[in-house]
Structures are given as C-alpha cells and as structure tokens.
Amino acid sequence: MTAPAALTDLLRQSSMTPDSTDLRTLTQLFLSQMRIALYGGVSSVPMLPTFLKPFGPLPLGERVVVAELDDRDVRVSLVRSGEGGLFVEESSQFPVPGRGYPAPLEDLLYAVAELAEPFLPQAQRLALCLPFPIDYDGKGDGCVRRFPGSMTVSEYAGKPILAALAKEWERRDCPKLPTVLVPESAAVQRAASLSLPKGTRCVGLSWGSGIDLGFTAPGSIVLRWPGIDGGLMHFQGGFSGAQCVPFGMVDYSKDRDSYGPGLDLYLKMVSTEYLGDTVRLTLIKAAERKLLSFGCSRDVLSLTYLGLDAVLDFLDDPIRGGTLAHFCREPQDREIGLLVCEAVLDRAARLVCANLSAVLSFVGAGRDAAAYVGLWGDAFQSPRLRVMLEQYLHIFTQDVLGLHAVLCPGMVSPVLGAAAAAFCN
C-alpha cells in the first residue's frame, strides 16, 4: 500500500472518512435518540424541558445578577436593561471548585454567593446559568444530572440547586431575589434572539469543552411527562452524552484512558479539550504503521498531550506552526500530519452538523425562512471550525435536507441570554 492509501485505511478504521460518517445516517441517529427520550424510552440524549418562557419584555432600568458556572470558572455579572438592550455593568470571576480538586456542591454555590453578594443590593433578580444537564422539577428548580469528567463534584445527586443556593443566602442574611435556573444552551439561544427580528426561528449551539443545543418547542412533545404545560418553552438537548456516534479505533484507546469509559462518546469526539489529543493518538497509530519518518515518530511518541491550539497553529502555518511543525520537518511527515489534523476537525464538524440538522428537522425550522444559530464556545475562537461547519450546513443541511441555517455573526453572550430569561420568567 502507498502511504496515502495506508493513511486512508487508518482514517477509515478511526471513523474519520466521509463514508464512515455519513451525514444523513448520523442525522437520523440523533433524531431517533431524541424521539426515544421524548417517548420515555432509554436514550443517551435526554431531551430536558426547562419550563422557561422563550419570549417576554425587558423592563427598562432593572438589573439582574447573572452567575455563570462551567468547568473552568465561576463568573458573576451585573446586567442592566436599558434603551437599546442589555448591558454588562460589572463582573468578576474565580476558578471553579471541583476542577483541580474534589469539592462538594456547597463549595460551588459558596463561590457563586461570594462573588454575587456585592451586586445583590443593586439588582432585582438573579439568574444561575449552567452548561450541565439539568432535570427540572416543573416548579422553577432542578437538579444537576451530572458534572463533566473534568470536574470532581460530590453531594449533588437529587439536590435542588436553587434550594441549596437559598440556604447559602439565608446563612449570609442576604436579600432573597427571584431566581431563575438557565441552561447555557438556552441562554445562547435567547441571546441570539435578542438581535433578530421578532418571529425569527433560532437555536443555540454551545461548542467548546462541552457540546449542547438549545431550542424552543411546545412542552406537549414530552410524551413521557403527562400533564406537562403545552406552551412554548426552552429545551436543553443534553447531547453531550449521545452514544449514537461512529466510535473508531483511535477513539477506543482514548476512551479507555479517560474518565467514564463508554460514557459521553459524542463529547469525546468533538470537545475542544479532546480534539488535539485525538490528533496525537492518530499520529501515534500512523507511526506504528511506518507512515512517518523515524525522527517524527520518535517525537510524536514522546508527547503525552496535545492541545487544539497546537493543531490549529500547525494548520495555519505548517512550516513554523509550533510543536507539530517542529516534529513534521520532512515533507512526507508534514503531508501526513496535515491530513490527520484536517480529518479529525472535519469529523467533528460533520458530527455537529448532523446534530444541528437533527434539531432543525425536529422543530421544523429553516424550511420557509432561514433559521439562525447562536454560537458560543472555544470551537469558534478560531474561524477554521466555523468555516467547516458552515460548509456542511450548505452542502448537506440546505442542499440535501432543504433546511436553511445561518450561523449568527460573532459569538453571542450567554450572560445576556440568561439575563433576558430572568426578566421574562
């Protein structure tokens, strides 16, 4: 076998070729998981209703404290509603407990309260924005279903998070403000809708260390929940745990050494925290198959981790682009390295396109008029992944499925979306 043919064989075994990630098939797989969850069956995509109203007026002159909590930081902002929209007046942040060391849920809420307390006297409402899947109780509160593998958090299972935060306010003798629990994907969707004409259909895509989509649909689609309010509400997909994805040879070795083997398969294929290391492991397989020179193979085998930034630097400048450019000094090594990097990112874009196409198909958006997609996350810090996603939305979602989706220019701010959700709920 020639080197290109041998590489194609390796990429096919790793499910990184177009024939192993067929977009129509992947879209149908995501759709089937969504429908199974709504019917009450066992599904890796939970489809979580939030009971949050997607629309409503923004009262002028009022302020809301927005606390964002993800797998890296706790960020608290004071947001004011005024003429022309929402404005962030002040903000502060702190490294999230549970990332570098184990922590109970109370430690996370303590950090939220510590940062938010100085802003409370100026505010009329409070919003807690989380990227983690949440099981809502239909009465305004909810429990975190689970935290990502990058965090070690205890004592949260079955514990209503707003009730626990209320105890922290009581302990501090702070005023009790009306509080809303907002998923990050719903906040991204709501933020995108703020800049769009009234009646425009939109969804929220959060793609970084995590992956999820927020959308609006009638509550009556949740057949597993008799008596649910049938009005329009935000939904959180909970897509990070999807297992309807074509896991390949490289993914198995990566999954084996990561947290929760067999869990979060989709997340491990598209997360910005995993994409660089997927490139590293694929290059190791290429070295084992004698596709790289001795010197390049030796250097690749010495790596213990590779970040996405190093991959993007190499793609932008294969000669001087950091670590991989230094390793791939020979022309044949450079060619193999570039093909592997492109294949890993291309597969991620295809998977996200299929996920987004499934949501648009499910809610019927993009048929009569363009549906807009609000964007948030590390994946869009570099234009490369965005361009890849746009290309697949054009050649598949639009040309094949007949659904017109437009990525919103720039990245929307979840803090503004969470504030808007607090004002209308």
Side-chain angles (χ1 to χ4, degrees):
M1 300 175 70
T2 64
L7 178 63
T8 300
D9 184 57
L10 169 60
L11 295 178
R12 181 173 288 111
Q13 293 178 23
S14 302
S15 73
M16 294 179 190
T17 54
D19 59 337
S20 56
T21 52
D22 178 69
L23 282 168
R24 188 183 289 275
T25 301
L26 288 171
T27 300
Q28 290 301 319
L29 288 172
F30 276 113
L31 270 171
S32 65
Q33 289 292 292
M34 293 167 67
R35 289 170 177 150
I36 290 170
L38 293 171
Y39 298 155
V42 178
S43 170
S44 59
V45 177
M47 293 287 285
L48 304 167
T50 68
F51 299 89
L52 296 175
K53 299 176 184 177
F55 316 110
L58 301 179
L60 295 179
E62 290 196 13
R63 290 175 173 82
V64 56
V65 176
V66 178
E68 301 171 275
L69 193 155
D70 59 24
D71 61 346
R72 296 176 186 173
D73 298 298
V74 178
R75 297 176 298 278
V76 175
S77 306
L78 183 64
V79 181
R80 175 178 58 84
S81 175
E83 294 288 348
L86 298 171
F87 307 92
V88 177
E89 294 187 328
E90 300 178 69
S91 62
S92 58
Q93 67 181 52
F94 187 81
V96 67
R99 172 77 186 207
Y101 55 91
L105 176 65
E106 284 75 10
D107 283 8
L108 277 69
L109 298 181
Y110 178 89
V112 168
E114 192 72 11
L115 293 176
E117 187 174 0
F119 298 148
L120 294 183
Q122 307 173 60
Q124 289 76 44
R125 307 163 192 262
L126 189 145
L128 181 60
C129 183
L130 304 176
F132 321 120
I134 301 169
D135 286 311
Y136 280 80
D137 60 7
K139 301 175 183 179
D141 208 343
C143 304
V144 175
R145 179 170 284 210
R146 59 191 178 86
F147 286 88
S150 56
M151 298 180 69
T152 305
V153 181
S154 61
E155 301 175 23
Y156 68 88
K159 182 176 291 186
I161 195 164
L162 294 188
L165 183 59
K167 291 181 180 179
E168 181 65 29
W169 297 134
E170 185 177 350
R171 187 183 69 81
R172 293 168 176 261
D173 197 25
C174 290
K176 295 181 180 179
L177 301 181
T179 306
V180 178
L181 185 59
V182 187
E184 183 180 82
S185 56
V188 172
Q189 181 197 5
R190 186 70 178 90
S193 69
L194 293 174
S195 60
L196 298 175
K198 187 176 181 180
T200 302
R201 300 291 295 275
C202 71
V203 298
L205 171 59
S206 179
W207 182 13
S209 58
I211 180 75
D212 205 2
L213 278 153
F215 57 92
T216 300
S220 55
I221 66 171
V222 189
L223 302 182
R224 70 173 186 268
W225 199 326
I228 191 173
D229 182 5
L232 287 175
M233 67 175 68
H234 283 296
F235 275 80
Q236 180 185 20
F239 287 101
S240 64
Q243 301 195 44
C244 55
V245 286
F247 231 45
M249 176 178 60
V250 171
D251 302 303
Y252 288 120
S253 58
K254 177 180 61 180
D255 181 55
R256 178 195 60 208
D257 298 329
S258 68
Y259 76 93
L263 299 176
D264 295 342
L265 303 187
Y266 176 41
L267 174 71
K268 292 170 182 176
M269 295 173 77
V270 303
S271 168
T272 54
E273 290 200 353
Y274 285 88
L275 287 174
D277 225 32
T278 302
V279 169
R280 178 182 69 89
L281 293 170
T282 308
L283 288 175
I284 288 175
K285 293 293 184 184
E288 292 173 352
R289 299 188 181 200
K290 305 293 190 290
L291 300 180
L292 300 174
S293 68
F294 174 79
C296 183
S297 298
R298 178 193 58 202
D299 291 338
V300 166
L301 290 170
S302 71
L303 281 175
T304 58
Y305 177 77
L306 187 68
L308 177 59
D309 288 344
V311 174
L312 296 174
D313 289 343
F314 179 54
L315 288 170
D316 291 338
D317 186 353
I319 305 298
R320 295 176 294 275
T323 302
L324 287 180
H326 178 69
F327 288 176
C328 301
R329 294 180 292 274
E330 300 295 332
Q332 66 270 24
D333 295 332
R334 192 177 303 122
E335 179 185 2
I336 295 295
L338 289 172
L339 289 171
V340 167
C341 291
E342 287 280 0
V344 170
L345 300 189
D346 182 76
R347 181 182 69 168
R350 291 174 70 85
L351 285 168
V352 174
C353 174
N355 188 183
L356 180 55
S357 299
V359 170
L360 294 174
S361 298
F362 183 80
V363 299
R367 296 197 182 278
D368 301 324
Y372 285 81
V373 184
L375 306 176
W376 176 253
D378 294 342
F380 304 109
Q381 295 289 345
S382 169
R384 187 175 294 273
L385 280 169
R386 178 187 177 122
V387 169
M388 286 180 168
L389 179 57
E390 283 182 323
Q391 290 173 341
Y392 283 122
L393 287 175
H394 179 73
I395 65 176
F396 173 70
T397 310
Q398 180 174 326
D399 293 351
V400 177
L401 299 183
L403 303 174
H404 186 197
V406 177
L407 302 184
C408 290
M411 287 199 293
V412 299
S413 172
V415 64
L416 299 183
F423 282 127
C424 64
N425 286 277

